[in-house]
Amino acid sequence: MRTGTLLMWMVLGFFSCKSGAESETQGSENKTIVQEPANLSYQILKVYPHDTSSFTQGLEWFKDQLWEGTGWYMESKLLQTDYTTGKAVKKVKLPDNEFGEGITIFKDKIYQLTWQEHKVYQYNAKTLAVEKTFDWPYEGWGLTHNDTALIISTGGSNIYWVDPANFKIVKTLGVTDNNGYVDSINELEWVDGFLYANKYLTDYILKIDPATGQVIARMNLAGILQQTNQPVSSNTDVLNGIAYRPSTKTFFVTGKRWPAMYEIKLN
């Protein structure tokens, strides 16, 4: 009896181990391997002057005119800029107690976020008159749009799709890469079905798949000011500002209080 019982337990143990091994193998096969973002290389086509008093928060081409939103208390503005000179052609100053953030232009309306004031301005793109103001429950950081919605970042890893008619959130997307969630998402630009985003306090521009939130590629602009012999001072701040120009299929990038704006082409 002792021998028979021992044999029975050995057989059961064998099948149990085999079943466990198969389960572990199947589990590992079901795990999705997230690829590290690819490197985006670029070519500098031209270097333009940029107003070093502009704390750049948003940058956008509209009808082949360049617009810029700037921040800082008592200095925040909405600007139409002559990109060849860096000079403002038109401008609207925000109240001294408001900190301007990202901008975008959608159906002849200009939208401008504020940082912690929970206010969004809607301007007439021709007259620059304020037509509406909206409430926004989070901090305002980056702003862009696709064909139907405004798209907003708030400094974390979430990006929000918003109905431009009433500023209600219709979709929330978490941004991730192979290491997990990616925070500090800042200025945004929508190009050919993908989101491009500055990652605050870094030299990276991220390319994000809006269907999954995954960072599929990134561009490293570290040292671009030094490489092009631009004067860097204690006021020169971080990379921020992405604008895609459809007429030339090129990107324009700059930074907060940078002395230069770059027209670049992805390789």
Side-chain angles (χ1 to χ4, degrees), residues 18-33:
K18 184 178 180 182
S19 175
E22 287 177 349
S23 176
E24 184 177 342
T25 302
Q26 290 169 357
S28 63
E29 288 175 351
N30 289 334
K31 290 181 180 178
T32 302
I33 298 175

Side-chain angles (χ1 to χ4, degrees), residues 113-177:
L113 300 171
T114 56
W115 179 32
Q116 294 182 322
E117 290 71 50
H118 304 289
K119 184 186 291 186
V120 185
Y121 287 101
Q122 177 190 300
Y123 305 88
N124 182 296
K126 293 181 180 178
T127 66
L128 298 189
V130 176
E131 295 181 331
K132 292 181 182 178
T133 58
F134 296 96
D135 293 325
W136 177 242
Y138 307 114
E139 289 187 357
W141 284 49
L143 180 60
T144 188
H145 71 271
N146 60 12
D147 292 337
T148 60
L150 304 182
I151 304 170
I152 301 176
S153 68
T154 59
S157 59
N158 281 345
I159 297 176
Y160 300 90
W161 271 243
V162 172
D163 185 338
N166 53 26
F167 244 73
K168 300 296 184 183
I169 296 170
V170 296
K171 173 184 172 181
T172 303
L173 180 74
V175 179
T176 60
D177 63 12

Side-chain angles (χ1 to χ4, degrees), residues 251-266:
F251 287 82
F252 283 65
V253 296
T254 189
K256 302 174 186 292
R257 299 193 179 122
W258 275 26
M261 180 180 297
Y262 296 88
E263 182 177 7
I264 64 175
K265 183 177 182 179
L266 302 187

Side-chain angles (χ1 to χ4, degrees), residues 56-59 69 99-104 111-116 119-120 136 138-144 151-158 160 183-188 198-201 238 240 256:
T56 304
Q57 306 286 65
L59 203 63
F99 196 115
E101 284 284 346
I103 65 165
T104 199
Y111 297 85
Q112 185 174 27
L113 300 171
T114 56
W115 179 32
Q116 294 182 322
K119 184 186 291 186
V120 185
W136 177 242
Y138 307 114
E139 289 187 357
W141 284 49
L143 180 60
T144 188
I151 304 170
I152 301 176
S153 68
T154 59
S157 59
N158 281 345
Y160 300 90
D183 64 5
S184 302
I185 302 299
N186 200 0
E187 155 76 334
L188 300 171
N198 285 117
K199 180 172 166 55
Y200 184 52
L201 297 178
V238 298
N240 201 53
K256 302 174 186 292

Side-chain angles (χ1 to χ4, degrees), residues 23-59:
S23 176
E24 184 177 342
T25 302
Q26 290 169 357
S28 63
E29 288 175 351
N30 289 334
K31 290 181 180 178
T32 302
I33 298 175
V34 178
Q35 298 294 326
E36 184 178 356
N39 291 319
L40 280 178
S41 60
Y42 64 93
Q43 175 187 359
I44 299 173
L45 301 181
K46 290 183 181 179
V47 182
Y48 301 102
H50 182 248
D51 187 347
T52 54
S53 70
S54 290
F55 196 77
T56 304
Q57 306 286 65
L59 203 63

